[in-house]
Amino acid sequence: MGVTVDVRQVYKYPFEQVVASFLRKYPNPMDKNVISVVTVEEKRDVSTGIIYRKRIAVCQNVVPEILRKVSILKVPSIQLEEESWLNPQERNMAIRSHCLTWTQYASMKEESVFRESVENPNWTEFIQRGRISITGAGFLNCILETFASTFLRQGAQKGIRIMEMLLKEQCGAPLAE
């Protein structure tokens, strides 16, 4: 089955500032679930100028304690891999991330884009689609997908709030029309 969560946000800040804040977003005291984020690969394509990054995030296991009675869910942390392609000339950054933990039972994938807003070239549009599907957990599949859907929605909204706070702290008030 699976669940999909779509998010769209316009940040009233220039693309370069939004991307810089995104890359510094975690770890952050506003989201204690993200323990660490490490860049494991970074390279620039000299012909296109595109910067490729691969980062690994370690997050606390947020599965409710009652569900952790199932042995496969009883892990202290979860690892996520994020790959991004930043094109400074075209002012866009594509991001793909997926969960490295529980891959035999669950698939969690997110695809996101930051790009110059069509409304205002000094603003940045953020679009994200997250998909989670659980298999191999028997009758728990539906329960875990429901929890995951709620967590994904809340996480996306929390991520937007953190970005807005960081942008305000680092860049001042948002840009007007």
Side-chain angles (χ1 to χ4, degrees), residues 17-150:
Q17 292 176 343
V18 172
V19 167
S21 290
F22 172 79
L23 293 171
R24 290 191 302 263
K25 184 165 82 169
Y26 296 115
N28 183 303
M30 284 184 65
D31 190 347
K32 296 191 185 320
N33 292 328
V34 181
I35 299 165
S36 67
V37 178
V38 177
T39 301
V40 294
E41 185 178 353
E42 183 170 334
K43 59 187 174 187
R44 176 187 291 265
D45 183 315
V46 290
S47 63
T48 64
I50 293 174
I51 300 166
Y52 168 80
R53 283 184 189 87
K54 183 188 288 187
R55 305 190 308 170
I56 303 294
V58 177
C59 304
Q60 288 182 6
N61 182 353
V62 294
V63 172
E65 204 60 45
I66 187 82
L67 297 175
R68 288 196 218 176
K69 303 290 183 214
V70 179
S71 63
I72 60 167
L73 300 177
K74 207 181 293 183
V75 296
S77 61
I78 299 163
Q79 287 196 333
L80 305 170
E81 179 182 82
E82 172 193 274
E83 294 178 284
S84 65
W85 296 264
L86 171 61
N87 187 330
Q89 284 79 30
E90 294 186 13
R91 298 182 84 205
N92 68 54
M93 183 166 78
I95 306 157
R96 271 197 329 234
S97 57
H98 65 274
C99 187
L100 299 173
T101 309
W102 302 316
T103 55
Q104 68 273 39
Y105 303 104
S107 169
M108 194 251 14
K109 296 179 181 181
E110 284 182 348
E111 293 186 1
S112 309
V113 174
F114 286 101
R115 65 183 178 207
E116 182 179 292
S117 172
V118 293
E119 297 173 53
N120 182 326
N122 289 316
W123 296 352
T124 305
E125 184 177 20
F126 172 66
I127 301 167
Q128 181 178 67
R129 169 166 275 186
R131 179 154 178 75
I132 296 177
S133 58
I134 313 277
T135 57
F139 71 96
L140 287 178
N141 285 2
C142 191
I143 294 169
L144 290 170
E145 282 182 354
T146 301
F147 167 75
S149 171
T150 302

